[in-house]
Structure formats: C-alpha cells, structure tokens
C-alpha cells in the first residue's frame, strides 16, 4: 500500500486516496483531484512530527480498532493544524476589525488549545475532556466558525473512550446541532448511543453520518467507520430496543424564595413537562405560572437551608453592577454552578418592553430561571434569555455581544405578591464581593430537569 496521497481514475471521474488507502474525495476532473492532493500532502507534512505511534480502540464496544484509529488520526491532524493557527497569533478580530487587546487572555487560550491537542494525540482522555471543557468555558469569545462544535466533538471522544457514554450523548447532540454537516459528530453520537445500550438510535446516527457525504478527509473517514459500525448492529437487536423519546429533556435553573420551599423559575422551563424535578431527583410541583412575564412558582418537598433576599427601596440604576448565577450547558460546564458578572445595560427589554431588563452578564442555555443579583447580593431579577446573535447578524450584518435579558424586578415581586409568597426583602446599603454573592447563590439555586 502506498504511503502517499494519490489520484486514481474511476469511471467518469478521479478519486483521491489518502496514505491509509482510504478514498477521501471524488472529482470530475484530474486537475481538481490534483489540487486536493496538494492539500492532502500539506496536511500530512504538518502532522508528521506530531503523529502518535499507535491509537487505541474507540470505546469498549468497538470491534474495529484499525478503522477507528484511522479516523481519529485524521481528526488529530485537523486539530494539530487548527491549533497552530491559534498558537501562531491568528486570534480572531472583533466586528470592527480591531484585534483583541487582552493578550494575556489569548495566551491563556493558546495554552489550553495546546493542552487539548497534546491530550488528543497522547490519548489522555480525562485530560482531553478537562482541557476542552476549559476551552469552551474560558475561550468561547475567541471561537470562529465551527470551533465550538469541534471542541464539543473532542469532549465526546474523551467521554466515549472512558466509557462514559451517557455523559457523551448530550455533548454529541449539541455538536450535531451546531454542525449538522459533520459526520464525525454523528459517529460520536452513534458510539455513545451504542455504548448506552440503544442500538436502534445508534443505527440512526450512523445512517445520518453516511448520508452527509465525504466532502473532506475527516468526514470520509467518519463515514467509513459509520458503515462498519452499522454492519455490526443486527437488525433484530435494533428492532427490540425501546423507541427513542420524541423530545429531549429540558434543563434550567431556579432559586428558593421562601422558607416554605417555594422555588422561582421561568415559565418556559416548566411548560409541557410530564415530570419536574431537581437534578438530584427531588420532585417539584408547579403552583403558579405567568406566560406573559415568563415566571413560574414551584413547590419543593424539602426544607431549604437558605432563601433569596430581594432588593427593596431605591430601584437599580443604569450601569449598576449585576451578577448572574445558574447551571448552564449541563454535562458540559461545571455542575456546581456558573457565575458571570456585568452591568445593568437598560431598564427595559427589546423594543422598550418594561417587563424585562437588559444585562451584559454572559448567559448560556440552562441559565434561564436563575437569580440576578445587585452589588449587595440582593435579587433584582430572573435571568430569562439571550439575544439570538446569529439571527441578528443575518438581519444587521453585525454580531451583538453580551445582550441578555432578565425579568424586571417589579414583575418578579408582583408575581410573588399575587401568589402570596412570604419572601424576604431588604434595602441595598452595603456592597458585597462577587465571591460572597456566588457563595450565597450556591445555597439558594437549584438545577431543574423537565421530562416532556
């Protein structure tokens, strides 16, 4: 077998063969195929010094060690090349064309990317998962194109290789959502589903990977592995598996507002839930909802150790500091909760909607329903949404940054008053540190899971 990229004629076209002997692309003309050959050679040359001597199997259920190794070798080549782009100082620019001035932040992210790449090459799976999660948590502002999806794929690889298939499933599903044309994301999902004992769902994931087509080396390798995985799932076994759920679980945040166990959250989190519980399985009951202000009041069956304190007296002012707390991106970010800081950007929401306020504190999916604090650790709102940056960019040609929203303090207190909740309130007179506010938030906030 040749150890170089090469072109071979096939029927009415020309195919590109990689050093592993796999077909990676098809072209109508020989010139087009030769251009692809040049890309293949450059990729191999850049990766040569970083290539590992051998690769292990993909999860304990994988009978195809050689095919899995080849796919991950290509994946590592890609990661090595993209990491060099960052390490060489090609940090992304803002929409105004100005480079980021926080060189320290860029340097930190370069180091994280290098750790992630090294862990992938050396098959240190726990280290890979840790570095990739840190990359998403700390360096998301530097991501361009498909970098978030590719980093999620690395997390899924690491989890699958450790046999943590259930943890890998939501990560792989998010990868698929962000990059639906990635066969690699679907193969990761198929491996996680197969390892979790869901062969019918795994079959669908592999079939979807194959249907995408091998438009590049990584996809072509993933498709080849998907075909072999598919052949190893007996049809009878697939038919016997349970039908997949029609809708995935929803996740959000809530916080305790009374000693009687009342929990406040968003209405959109609890809407359509067949069962509702905290992350540790404690059941929750819906007492009251207001779709207009997107608020819901729940009842817990446990005695809270602490309750929220709401701000009273003078209202917050434009530019005041705020702190948001929640449990975003479950399975990806820290399970102990996530703190973000910012300012009160506006005292009304989109199109001057007085039910909401605008904040600059970053939020992610899963933050919804969490408390928004002032500088005295008093609650002044409920985190509700972030502006859809993609849609705004399509409409305006500009990417909005840190445009997020919370339910207005007046709406929140009116909702609790109508429900007869005996909540605590104090005048904000003494400033608290962010650390103190975070410590308080961890005592009153709960992660919520909704099963449709």
């Amino acid at each position: 077998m040749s150890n170089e990229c090469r072109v071979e004629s096939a029927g009415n076209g020309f195919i590109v063969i990689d050093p592993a002997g796999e077909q990676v692309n098809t072209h109508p003309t020989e010139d087009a195929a030769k251009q692809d050959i040049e890309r293949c050679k450059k990729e191999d040359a850049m990766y040569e010094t970083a290539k590992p001597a051998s690769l292990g199997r993909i999860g304990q259920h994988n009978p195809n060690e050689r095919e899995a190794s080849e796919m991950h070798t290509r994946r590592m080549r890609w990661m090595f090349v993209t990491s060099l782009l960052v390490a060489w100082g090609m940090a992304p620019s803002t929409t105004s064309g100005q480079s980021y001035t926080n060189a320290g932040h860029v340097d930190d992210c370069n180091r994280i990317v290098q750790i992630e790449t090294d862990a992938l090459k050396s098959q240190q799976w726990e280290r890979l998962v840790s570095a990739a999660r840190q990359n998403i948590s700390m360096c998301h502002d530097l991501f361009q194109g498909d970098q978030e999806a590719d980093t999620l794929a690395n997390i899924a690889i690491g989890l699958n290789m450790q046999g943590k298939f259930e943890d890998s499933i939501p990560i792989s599903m998010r990868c698929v959502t962000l990059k639906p044309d990635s066969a690699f994301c679907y193969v990761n999902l198929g491996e996680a589903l197969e390892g979790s004992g869901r062969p019918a769902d795994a079959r669908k994931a592999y079939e979807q990977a194959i249907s995408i087509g091998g438009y590049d080396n990584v996809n072509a390798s993933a498709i080849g592995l998907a075909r072999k995985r598919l052949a190893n799932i007996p049809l009878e076994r697939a038919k016997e598996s349970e039908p997949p759920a029609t809708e995935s679980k929803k996740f959000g945040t809530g916080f305790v507002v009374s000693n009687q166990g009342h929990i406040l959250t968003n209405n959109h989190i609890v809407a359509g839930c067949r069962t509702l519980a905290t992350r540790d399985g404690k059941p929750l009951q819906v007492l009251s909802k207001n779709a207009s202000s997107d608020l819901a009041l729940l009842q817990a069956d446990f005695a809270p150790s602490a309750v929220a304190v709401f701000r009273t007296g003078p209202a917050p002012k434009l530019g005041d500091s705020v702190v948001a707390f929640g449990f975003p991106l479950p399975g990806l970010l820290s399970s102990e909760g996530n703190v973000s800081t910012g300012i009160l950007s506006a005292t009304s929401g989109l199109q001057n909607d007085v039910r909401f306020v605008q904040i600059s504190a970053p939020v992610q999916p899963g933050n919804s329903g969490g408390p928004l604090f002032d500088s005295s650790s008093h609650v002044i709102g409920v985190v509700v949404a972030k502006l859809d940056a993609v849609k705004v960019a399509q409409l305006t040609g500009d990417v909005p940054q840190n445009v997020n929203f919370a339910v207005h303090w007046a709406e929140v207190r009116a909702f609790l008053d109508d429900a007869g909740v005996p909540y605590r309130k104090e005048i904000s007179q003494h400033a608290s540190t962010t650390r103190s506010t975070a410590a308080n938030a961890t005592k009153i906030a709960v992660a919520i899971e909704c099963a449709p």
Side-chain angles (χ1 to χ4, degrees):
M1 179 183 295
S2 171
N3 60 355
E4 296 182 352
C5 304
R6 65 189 188 277
V7 174
E8 294 182 3
S9 61
N12 296 326
F14 297 85
I15 60 175
V16 176
I17 306 295
D18 74 356
E22 296 284 339
Q23 176 181 335
V24 297
N25 226 331
T26 303
H27 298 278
T29 67
E30 188 173 7
D31 288 341
K34 286 180 177 178
Q35 291 180 2
D36 209 9
I37 282 287
E38 292 305 313
R39 286 194 293 271
C40 178
K41 289 179 179 178
K42 289 178 181 178
E43 185 183 78
D44 281 336
M46 291 186 72
Y47 180 71
E48 189 63 33
T49 58
K51 184 170 56 179
S54 62
L55 292 171
R57 57 197 298 150
I58 308 300
Q60 298 175 353
H61 66 289
N62 175 27
N64 304 303
E65 295 186 38
R66 176 179 175 274
E67 291 82 0
S69 296
E70 289 170 357
M71 183 182 77
H72 281 278
T73 296
R74 290 200 185 94
R75 175 70 181 167
M76 289 183 206
R77 287 190 187 125
W78 181 92
M79 270 298 298
F80 180 67
V81 172
T82 54
S83 70
L84 288 179
L85 295 180
V86 178
W88 288 339
M90 296 179 65
S93 300
T94 64
T95 54
S96 65
Q98 299 297 318
S99 297
Y100 285 98
T101 57
N102 190 346
H105 176 50
V106 174
D107 288 343
D108 288 343
C109 291
N110 283 340
R111 282 191 289 271
I112 293 170
V113 168
Q114 190 59 56
I115 292 171
E116 183 181 347
T117 308
D118 291 343
L120 186 61
K121 289 186 296 182
S122 59
Q123 303 173 59
Q124 295 177 298
W125 307 122
E126 288 188 16
R127 191 173 180 227
L128 171 64
V129 171
S130 176
R133 281 177 165 159
Q134 190 177 17
N135 193 4
I136 287 181
S137 176
M138 293 180 57
C139 308
H140 194 274
D141 58 321
L142 299 179
F143 282 2
Q144 287 184 310
D146 297 322
Q147 283 178 274
E148 180 175 358
D150 294 322
T151 307
L152 288 169
N154 284 341
I155 295 174
I157 291 170
L159 292 172
N160 284 343
M161 293 296 285
Q162 296 177 74
K164 298 179 180 180
F165 302 113
E166 290 290 346
D167 293 339
S168 176
I169 290 173
I171 305 299
S172 299
M173 291 181 68
R174 181 161 175 77
C175 180
V176 165
T177 300
L178 292 174
K179 196 175 182 181
D181 62 346
S182 170
F184 198 91
C185 288
Y186 279 103
V187 170
N188 281 339
L189 178 58
E191 289 176 343
L193 292 167
E194 190 176 355
S196 300
R198 296 165 59 181
D201 294 343
R203 172 175 286 275
K204 291 179 181 179
Y206 294 142
E207 288 173 344
Q208 183 61 39
I210 294 169
S211 71
I212 290 172
Y215 60 85
D216 61 17
N217 291 3
V218 174
N219 258 21
S221 294
I223 289 170
L225 183 56
R227 292 184 189 280
K228 292 179 173 64
R229 288 278 200 274
L230 203 55
N232 290 326
I233 302 179
L235 287 174
E236 308 81 38
R237 186 179 166 207
K239 291 177 182 176
E240 291 172 359
S241 66
E242 296 182 3
T246 56
E247 192 174 350
S248 301
K249 279 186 177 181
K250 293 191 295 183
F251 302 90
T253 304
F255 59 102
V256 181
V257 295
S258 80
N259 289 317
Q260 285 73 42
H262 292 110
I263 293 176
L264 186 62
T265 187
N266 287 142
N267 177 66
H268 74 262
I269 292 174
V270 304
C273 296
R274 180 172 48 85
T275 61
L276 198 63
T278 62
R279 184 174 52 200
D280 54 358
K282 296 175 182 176
L284 300 172
Q285 178 186 358
V286 179
L287 297 181
S288 180
K289 298 189 293 185
N290 186 326
S292 176
S293 57
D294 200 3
L295 292 172
L297 184 66
L298 313 180
Q299 178 66 61
D301 63 354
F302 57 87
S305 60
V307 300
V309 178
F310 289 80
R311 174 171 174 151
T312 189
K317 303 295 184 182
L318 202 65
D320 281 357
S321 297
V322 296
V323 178
F325 186 88
F327 300 95
L329 302 175
L332 177 59
L333 299 184
S334 172
S335 60
E336 67 180 358
N338 190 280
V339 179
S340 60
T341 61
I343 63 168
L344 184 63
S345 304
T347 55
S348 59
L350 284 175
Q351 298 181 328
N352 294 318
D353 191 333
V354 295
R355 296 171 299 175
F356 305 98
V357 297
Q358 180 183 329
I359 59 174
S360 66
V363 300
Q364 305 294 338
N367 266 115
S368 293
L372 181 71
F373 298 96
D374 66 7
S375 59
S376 297
S377 296
H378 294 154
V379 175
I380 59 170
V382 178
V383 175
V384 66
K386 63 183 296 183
L387 196 62
D388 191 322
V390 174
K391 289 183 179 179
V392 173
Q394 290 172 344
L395 290 172
T396 67
D398 193 15
V399 179
Q401 297 185 16
N402 296 333
V403 180
N404 307 305
F405 300 95
V407 183
H408 196 286
W409 50 85
E411 288 284 330
V412 174
R413 290 184 56 186
F415 176 75
L416 294 177
D417 288 339
D418 289 343
V421 176
Y423 60 92
R424 291 181 57 192
K425 46 188 179 288
E426 292 179 2
I427 296 176
S428 293
Q429 295 177 316
H430 307 290
S432 299
T433 64
T434 302
R435 181 182 299 178
S436 174
T437 300
N440 179 50
T442 59
K443 296 176 183 178
I444 65 172
V446 294
I448 296 175
E449 295 186 0
C450 158

